[in-house]
């Protein structure tokens, strides 16, 4: 394949543009903010699940407290009825004994219920504190996520600007190359990552491997417009004064 030496040298500029675009794409896929966001999102899900669990426990306790309070009210109402019955003086001696016994039972029942209610309310208070703490953790995780997302968006905006600029540079370069040379460049780049590189001091600028003496002798003997490829990686070797030929 033939191409003017000046055209071949311009391939170094194209390769530089493509290297910049590759770095942009690599950075886009490996932004540290992406890993941070994934980790914070996991933490946030865990915190939200914990908050739901705490709030559910609180709701369950609220129902239990309400049931306990209703039971206490029922015992108090029955106790009030018995005391009114005693105060009426209309009951027999046997009924009096039965009512007094029932009052003692009701008092013990009320004391037990009130003790249970106190324990429930203490547990509810502890759960409320837990809910406040977990809610604060959720808020903190949400803020951390928002901060990371903002930094990611800023980084992506910078990458988009760089990519747009280098895409424009590439579009301006492409018409300078003949189709067959450009197809060779693109084919090598698709397989090896680098389509063209400078030959400097017997070393390929793409794969960074030294070229043996026989190959160097052939390159020296080749016409200036001959398109040379690296025997190791296939990249187009661009010859300049730095090549030391």
């Amino acid at each position: 394949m033939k191409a003017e030496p000046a055209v071949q040298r311009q391939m170094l500029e194209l390769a530089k543009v493509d290297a910049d675009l590759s770095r942009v794409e690599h950075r886009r896929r490996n932004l540290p903010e992406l890993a941070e966001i994934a980790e914070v999102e996991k933490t946030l899900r865990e915190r939200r699940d914990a908050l739901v669990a705490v709030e559910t426990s609180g709701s369950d306790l609220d129902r239990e407290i309400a049931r306990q309070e209703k039971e206490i009210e029922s015992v108090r109402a029955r106790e009030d009825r018995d005391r009114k019955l005693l105060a009426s003086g209309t009951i027999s001696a046997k009924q009096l004994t039965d009512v007094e016994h029932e009052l003692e039972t009701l008092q013990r029942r009320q004391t037990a219920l009130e003790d249970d209610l106190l324990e429930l309310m203490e547990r509810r208070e502890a759960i409320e504190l837990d809910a406040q703490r977990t809610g604060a953790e959720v808020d903190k995780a949400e803020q951390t996520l928002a901060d990371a997302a903002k930094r990611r968006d800023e980084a992506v905006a910078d990458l988009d600007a760089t990519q747009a600029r280098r895409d424009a540079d590439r579009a301006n370069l492409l018409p300078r190359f003949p189709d067959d040379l450009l197809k060779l460049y693109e084919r090598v780049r698709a397989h090896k990552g680098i389509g063209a590189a400078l030959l400097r001091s017997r070393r390929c600028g793409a794969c960074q491997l030294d070229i043996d003496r026989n190959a160097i002798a052939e390159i020296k003997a080749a016409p200036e417009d001959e398109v040379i490829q690296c025997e190791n990686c296939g990249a187009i070797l661009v010859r300049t004064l730095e090549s030391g030929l």
Side-chain angles (χ1 to χ4, degrees), residues 1 7 22 59 70 107 114 132 167-168 173 190 218 223 236 243:
M1 184 182 299
V7 172
S22 295
S59 297
K70 184 177 180 181
Q107 287 174 352
E114 288 175 344
Q132 292 176 6
D167 280 341
L173 283 170
E218 293 178 1
I236 297 171
S243 301

Side-chain angles (χ1 to χ4, degrees), residues 194-226:
I194 300 177
L198 175 65
L199 172 61
R200 179 187 284 119
S201 301
R202 296 179 52 199
R203 174 168 293 188
C204 171
C207 64
Q208 300 299 316
L209 294 177
D210 290 335
I211 300 172
D212 66 47
R213 294 182 181 276
N214 291 334
I216 286 294
E218 293 178 1
I219 292 173
K220 284 182 179 180
E224 288 187 353
D225 62 350
E226 184 76 24

Side-chain angles (χ1 to χ4, degrees), residues 13-200:
E13 188 175 350
L14 177 61
K16 184 177 185 304
V17 169
D18 285 334
D20 288 345
L21 288 171
S22 295
R23 282 190 288 271
V24 166
E25 187 57 31
H26 178 77
R27 278 202 63 205
R28 193 187 299 277
R29 292 194 305 267
N30 296 278
L31 284 173
E33 289 81 6
L34 297 179
E36 181 182 356
I37 286 172
E39 185 64 28
V40 174
E41 284 177 338
K42 178 183 176 182
T43 299
L44 182 55
R45 286 193 299 271
E46 292 172 350
R47 296 293 184 269
R48 285 172 173 168
D49 289 345
L51 182 58
V52 169
V54 170
E55 291 175 341
T56 300
S57 297
S59 297
D60 292 343
L61 270 179
D62 286 340
R63 286 191 293 272
E64 182 65 18
I65 288 171
R67 188 194 65 77
Q68 199 81 350
E69 289 175 339
K70 184 177 180 181
E71 181 71 15
I72 291 173
E73 287 299 323
S74 175
V75 170
R76 286 174 177 170
R78 190 170 176 179
E79 183 180 0
D80 289 343
R81 185 201 63 188
D82 285 352
R83 292 192 184 282
K84 288 178 181 179
L85 186 61
L86 285 177
S88 68
T90 59
I91 59 176
S92 65
K94 182 178 182 308
Q95 288 177 315
L96 177 63
T97 301
D98 291 342
V99 170
E100 288 176 341
H101 177 71
E102 184 177 40
L103 279 173
E104 292 176 359
T105 301
L106 289 173
Q107 287 174 352
R108 289 194 298 271
R109 175 62 177 162
Q110 181 175 335
T111 298
L113 288 172
E114 288 175 344
D115 289 342
D116 289 344
L117 178 61
L118 179 60
E119 180 183 351
L120 289 172
M121 294 180 72
E122 289 174 346
R123 287 170 55 194
R124 186 66 182 88
E125 183 179 353
I127 286 178
E128 180 60 30
L129 292 175
D130 194 15
Q132 292 176 6
R133 177 184 58 79
T134 306
E137 291 175 347
V138 169
D139 292 342
K140 181 180 179 181
E142 288 176 340
Q143 184 59 54
T144 301
L145 180 60
D147 292 342
K150 181 181 178 182
R151 285 185 277 109
R152 175 205 58 196
D153 293 344
E154 291 172 348
V156 168
D158 288 342
L159 292 174
D160 287 343
T162 300
Q163 180 169 349
R165 186 173 63 256
R166 298 309 266 164
D167 280 341
D169 293 339
R170 194 175 201 276
N172 290 330
L173 283 170
L174 293 183
R176 305 179 187 181
F177 307 106
D179 289 343
D180 55 351
L181 180 63
L182 190 57
K183 287 179 181 178
L184 173 62
Y185 170 86
E186 295 290 12
R187 184 168 64 250
V188 174
R189 188 170 73 94
H191 285 86
K192 301 297 183 178
I194 300 177
L198 175 65
L199 172 61
R200 179 187 284 119

